[in-house]
Amino acid sequence: MAATQIKGLGDIDKSYDGSQLRVGIVHARWNDKVIAALVDGAKSKLAAMGVPESNIFLTTVPGSYELPFGTKVLYDAHKGKETELDAIISIGVLIKGHTMHFEYISDAVSHGLMRTQFDLGIPVIFGLLTCLTEEQALERAGLVVNEEGASHSHNHGEDWGAAAVEMAYKNKHHVL
Ligand code: RBF
């Protein structure tokens, strides 16, 4: 990473204890190679922050447009039970094509997910990549490799895992 680079989540907040949290992940099935890497990144960060594997609940929807409603369905499936969810990470990958679909779906899903978290009363993490090219999508999922095959790009799924734990913790304990 260039020394001058400032973009990204940074390392200025403390690490939150995820051991008592239950986190849902709902992901679209379009662009599945990139999705798989992002989901793995989110799950590994959740584990690193103490969320037990048995407290992670995963489901899928066809495409990104289905993410807001899929998020609600996942929340409702656990509502009022011992497994009630503290946060949901909604993951999709939109890659711009030759029609206006990209713009309409990006806009609808962004607004839909923002609204869903207030409707449900838990944080909904915005795990939607809106990419102009396939290369951008690979880069943001940590899938750009050097000549030795080692990844040298950042997997944003990890940031979403960390954001889910932090926001769920803050919501549950009413701390900011
Ligand atoms: N879903 C995605 O998750 N990523 C995409 O890049 C994507 N591109 C689409 C492009 C077109 C032209 C269409 C018709 C759908 C696309 N979808 C994509 C699927 C969309 O999110 C949704 O699943 C379907 O439109 C059914 O509601």
Side-chain angles (χ1 to χ4, degrees):
M1 189 187 291
T4 51
Q5 193 158 342
I6 58 163
K7 198 161 161 268
L9 188 58
D11 198 21
I12 51 172
D13 210 344
K14 60 176 184 157
S15 183
Y16 293 87
D17 174 20
S19 63
Q20 305 302 314
L21 300 175
R22 286 175 300 274
V23 179
I25 297 176
V26 53
H27 71 80
R29 298 192 296 270
W30 272 65
N31 308 313
D32 58 346
K33 176 182 167 186
V34 179
I35 291 278
L38 293 166
V39 171
D40 280 353
K43 283 169 73 179
S44 67
K45 182 62 91 175
L46 291 174
M49 294 179 78
V51 181
E53 202 175 343
S54 56
N55 281 10
I56 300 173
F57 299 88
L58 198 99
T59 192
T60 75
V61 290
S64 292
Y65 187 78
E66 283 71 44
L67 282 173
F69 199 73
T71 299
K72 175 187 151 45
V73 171
L74 178 59
Y75 180 78
D76 285 347
H78 294 270
K79 191 178 176 196
K81 301 183 179 158
E82 277 179 8
T83 57
E84 184 154 321
L85 299 173
D86 300 301
I88 296 179
I89 308 172
S90 305
I91 298 178
V93 175
L94 290 165
I95 300 175
K96 190 171 168 65
H98 298 290
T99 67
M100 288 294 288
H101 265 82
F102 174 79
E103 281 80 0
Y104 285 113
I105 298 175
S106 303
D107 192 54
V109 177
S110 306
H111 286 107
L113 292 177
M114 176 58 81
R115 181 186 145 175
T116 303
Q117 59 185 342
F118 290 105
D119 288 350
L120 302 182
I122 60 163
V124 171
I125 304 304
F126 185 65
L128 183 71
L129 293 185
T130 57
C131 303
L132 299 179
T133 63
E134 287 190 11
E135 182 67 15
Q136 278 183 352
L138 294 169
E139 192 178 335
R140 289 170 191 172
L143 291 172
V144 176
V145 293
N146 61 19
E147 279 166 17
E148 285 84 48
S151 171
H152 65 91
S153 67
H154 177 62
N155 184 337
H156 285 250
E158 295 172 18
D159 299 345
W160 304 336
V165 172
E166 176 177 343
M167 293 308 294
Y169 187 93
K170 286 179 170 173
N171 187 41
K172 210 165 178 172
H173 299 285
H174 302 294
V175 289
L176 266 181

